[in-house]
Amino acid sequence: MARTGNGTAATAEKIIQGNCIEAMNALPANSVDLIFADPPYNLQLGGDLTRPDQSKVDAVTDEWDKFESFESYDRFTREWLAAARRVLKPTGAIWVIGSDHNIVRVGGSLQDLGYWIMNDVVWRKSNPMPNFRGTRFTNAHETLIWAVRDADQKKYTFNYDAMKALNETLENIAGKEIGDIALRNVAPVAASINPSLPIGNFDEAQSGAIAKVDEFDFQHEMRKTRERVDELLDLGKIAAAESFMEEQRQVFVANGFNIRKLNQAYFAFNGTYADNAASSSPIADQLNRYRAAASNVGSFVKMIAGFSSYQKFMDELDELDK
């Protein structure tokens, strides 16, 4: 799919159907942000595939997946990868998916042409082609290669923080709920005291400490601290931010929360979990809205696992709120 026009909101999108090399060669150089390629696998099928009952497997036997030799396949691979590299922006990237039949050769061509491989990612198939003959391992996965255009490329899109915050916060929310359910069933007496505390016997001193902690709203105070620190750092007032964090640390300690060091590293680590007071991410509130719409925690986890991008996550959330 190609975007045409000047890149404004009125830009039209269209599907270009045709020879991929010719189509890419017709596009302007340095004009594409991302390429996802699913090239021919060169399966090299020597004949019909049959099941144990002799029924025929509907395999890929089309002409576009037939090559005279490995050299012929490599030549085709280098041609389309060169065309792809020409249209990629200096900040662009490419994803290529393949199987054991071709992905190693594709990876070599990527490197030969100047791409820089960032990662290989395994797509594990839950329903692979059955291993009818039992003469080798089941082909139960395919490999995706993620590469950027240039070896010295410093800028590219990788939404690590958003992905990690979403996954880790989902784990926290679901984990706490499952833990509370287990606690109520296994140790109902302890759960009635405080579901967030470990099971055990509490003496009067411990009970007093718990009461003191309950009077102090840790979540609220830590969130306010994080927001103020962000404001100071945005203004370039690093010394003031560090001084404020130390003042706040002493407040937390005085109220029963023994934080040894409150600094940017603390926020960077704990801020990964959007339901943590040290985070400034909106993801926790967004996930809680999804949880409210789900009938149980299992449905909630499956719902979130079904999103392939944060944009789809947000689009569905908008529909949920209507």
Side-chain angles (χ1 to χ4, degrees):
M1 183 162 66
R3 184 179 291 268
T4 60
N6 60 6
T8 65
T11 295
E13 292 181 346
K14 65 177 182 178
I15 295 175
I16 301 173
Q17 186 173 355
N19 180 290
C20 70
I21 298 173
E22 294 175 357
M24 286 191 287
N25 285 341
L27 294 174
N30 306 319
S31 62
V32 175
D33 293 299
L34 180 69
I35 294 174
F36 185 94
D38 185 5
Y41 284 11
N42 191 25
L43 295 177
Q44 311 151 62
L45 298 178
D48 293 340
L49 291 177
T50 57
R51 301 180 178 88
D53 63 1
Q54 299 307 304
S55 60
K56 186 178 178 180
V57 176
D58 186 17
V60 177
T61 57
D62 303 81
E63 289 301 318
W64 54 261
D65 195 50
K66 295 179 180 179
F67 296 85
E68 295 178 356
S69 62
F70 285 131
E71 289 76 13
S72 174
Y73 183 78
D74 291 344
R75 187 162 52 251
F76 163 75
T77 299
R78 287 192 294 270
E79 286 178 5
W80 75 258
L81 281 175
R85 189 165 184 266
R86 185 190 70 84
V87 299
L88 277 177
K89 293 180 180 178
T91 55
I94 185 171
W95 286 83
V96 188
I97 187 170
S99 69
D100 58 307
H101 299 87
N102 72 322
I103 199 63
V104 174
R105 309 189 77 85
V106 171
S109 294
L110 280 164
Q111 292 177 317
D112 290 344
L113 290 169
Y115 289 93
W116 186 260
I117 294 177
M118 302 293 289
N119 284 116
D120 63 324
V121 179
V122 171
W123 168 33
R124 184 182 66 84
K125 298 181 178 180
S126 58
N127 59 339
M129 178 71 73
N131 188 354
F132 295 125
R133 297 179 179 177
T135 57
R136 64 182 69 184
F137 293 112
T138 301
N139 292 322
H141 82 278
E142 293 189 19
T143 300
L144 297 99
I145 294 178
W146 171 38
V148 294
R149 197 187 75 170
D150 301 299
D152 59 351
Q153 185 172 324
K154 303 300 182 184
K155 294 184 178 181
Y156 51 87
T157 299
F158 183 52
N159 298 314
Y160 174 81
D161 291 335
M163 291 187 294
K164 188 172 179 63
L166 181 61
N167 290 331
E168 299 288 9
T169 307
L170 171 65
E171 178 188 356
N172 258 13
I173 293 173
K176 288 175 181 176
E177 184 172 345
I178 293 170
D180 286 347
I181 292 171
L183 186 60
R184 286 196 296 271
N185 283 278
V186 176
V189 175
S192 66
I193 297 173
N194 191 328
S196 65
L197 293 174
I199 299 172
N201 297 317
F202 303 103
D203 57 28
E204 291 184 5
Q206 288 174 311
S207 298
I210 293 168
K212 183 177 182 181
V213 168
D214 285 344
E215 294 171 0
F216 181 78
D217 192 338
F218 175 83
Q219 292 286 111
H220 177 70
E221 292 300 325
M222 182 59 78
R223 181 80 67 174
K224 282 174 54 181
T225 302
R226 172 65 189 268
E227 291 172 352
R228 179 56 180 159
V229 168
D230 286 347
E231 290 174 2
L232 291 170
L233 292 176
D234 287 342
L235 294 171
K237 298 181 178 180
I238 298 175
E242 292 177 344
S243 176
F244 176 70
M245 284 187 283
E246 175 55 24
E247 292 173 6
Q248 289 299 101
R249 186 192 71 81
Q250 294 178 26
V251 171
F252 288 119
V253 171
N255 282 277
F257 295 92
N258 189 24
I259 300 175
R260 188 178 63 84
K261 190 75 173 177
L262 185 60
N263 52 20
Q264 293 182 61
Y266 177 92
F267 288 125
F269 178 78
N270 291 284
T272 297
Y273 304 88
D275 59 333
N276 189 293
S279 173
S280 57
S281 170
I283 285 178
D285 291 337
Q286 294 163 353
L287 282 170
N288 281 323
R289 284 151 64 190
Y290 272 110
R291 176 62 189 96
S295 58
N296 56 59
V297 66
S299 299
F300 167 57
V301 172
K302 288 180 181 178
M303 184 189 302
I304 303 305
F307 294 116
S308 58
S309 70
Y310 185 62
Q311 184 59 54
K312 290 183 178 179
F313 172 89
M314 290 301 299
D315 290 344
E316 187 66 26
L317 187 62
D318 290 339
E319 291 296 318
L320 201 67
D321 291 339
K322 290 180 180 178

